[in-house]
Amino acid sequence: MRFLLIEDNASLAGAVVERLQMDGHAVDHADTLEAARACITVADYDLILLDIMLPDGDGRAFLESHRMAEKQTPVIVTTARSEVSDRVGLLDLGADDYITKPFDFSELEARCRAVLRRRGGVAANRIAVADAVLDSASGELRIGESRHSLRNRELRLLEVFFGAPGQVFSKSYLMDRIFSFSDEVNENAIEVYVGRIRKRLEGSAVRIETVRGLGYRLVAQA
């Protein structure tokens, strides 16, 4: 998944980016609202983590304008304010969730997973396609009685495919989902990761199929 972190505290932002990248997410960081607006004009994000107090304005104004533009990207607000009225106001403006600073990283990760599941219409961490089960919480791919521990980007790539079986994804789209602006990679990297997850799926009824000239899709054998 690709996240946008809008946070002006450099030490906190660095820690959040590092933790989310360890989970295999692509994370772009903006320390001002101006930088954040520039990011969303050139990239699509699966989730936005939004601070309220920023050097060039109030994050609530960003959230309100984001929703008025009918953009559905999930937004989790990070705030130092704990009053009920503040939290209710954020939800009414269109926030999908909020987390109060200082926060534990495991709670942040859990809230991210929960928001992404709700937006994807999935009620649990596990997604099954034929005889293969992807468990995002444990980072495992289960095929029958076999369990395969996944590297972080393998997990995120499989989440894309398992979330939409049969849909064709281009290399550029997949790159956008698992790499950030700071990652110096080309489309050959997607071929490498697709090769890895194909090996993980060996022995199951599920495979990653190449659609010549278009990209890849997940298919299940009848």
Side-chain angles (χ1 to χ4, degrees):
M1 299 295 176
R2 188 166 185 174
F3 293 0
L4 174 62
L5 171 64
I6 309 172
E7 170 63 61
D8 67 320
N9 183 308
S11 60
L12 175 59
V16 171
V17 168
E18 181 179 4
R19 183 61 176 258
L20 293 175
Q21 287 179 336
M22 286 174 59
D23 286 341
H25 299 294
V27 187
D28 295 321
H29 171 225
D31 57 4
T32 65
L33 293 178
E34 181 181 5
R37 293 187 182 100
C39 286
I40 63 176
T41 60
V42 296
D44 293 322
Y45 293 97
D46 298 292
L47 180 67
I48 295 173
L49 298 172
L50 172 66
D51 186 24
I52 292 299
M53 304 303 294
L54 292 154
D56 57 346
D58 192 320
R60 286 170 294 193
F62 175 91
L63 174 60
E64 186 174 21
S65 63
H66 193 66
R67 292 301 184 225
M68 289 184 67
E70 298 185 353
K71 295 182 178 179
Q72 300 303 312
T73 311
V75 176
I76 297 178
V77 175
T78 61
T79 176
R81 300 178 178 180
S82 58
E83 290 81 3
V84 172
S85 59
D86 288 322
R87 300 197 301 268
V88 170
L90 291 170
L91 295 172
D92 284 342
L93 281 175
D96 293 85
D97 200 356
Y98 59 85
I99 188 168
T100 304
K101 299 178 181 178
F103 49 78
D104 185 88
F105 287 121
S106 60
E107 180 185 358
L108 176 64
E109 291 166 334
R111 289 183 180 274
C112 290
R113 289 195 300 268
V115 167
L116 290 168
R117 288 200 307 270
R118 290 200 299 269
R119 280 301 174 104
V122 180
N125 287 312
R126 299 176 184 176
I127 308 174
V129 178
D131 60 346
V133 179
L134 181 66
D135 190 324
S136 295
S138 66
E140 288 184 335
L141 176 66
R142 302 175 185 177
I143 301 170
E145 297 299 319
S146 300
R147 297 189 176 194
H148 304 279
S149 295
L150 300 168
R151 295 180 180 180
N152 292 328
R153 282 191 172 129
E154 294 172 354
L155 171 61
R156 302 310 166 196
L157 195 56
L158 277 171
E159 284 178 336
V160 174
F161 285 116
F162 271 64
Q167 182 173 331
V168 178
F169 297 102
S170 67
K171 288 182 181 180
S172 60
Y173 177 87
L174 296 174
M175 283 191 64
D176 193 54
R177 301 274 60 78
I178 66 173
F179 295 112
S180 63
F181 289 130
S182 60
D183 292 315
E184 297 182 2
V185 294
N186 57 38
E187 291 187 352
N188 291 334
I190 293 299
E191 295 179 12
V192 172
Y193 280 102
V194 168
R196 289 179 182 175
I197 62 177
R198 278 174 167 159
K199 290 181 179 179
R200 302 288 195 182
L201 291 167
E202 287 178 355
S204 75
V206 179
R207 70 179 189 276
I208 304 296
E209 181 179 81
T210 299
V211 182
R212 189 175 298 276
L214 296 176
Y216 304 98
R217 65 184 171 196
L218 183 79
V219 295
Q221 297 173 350

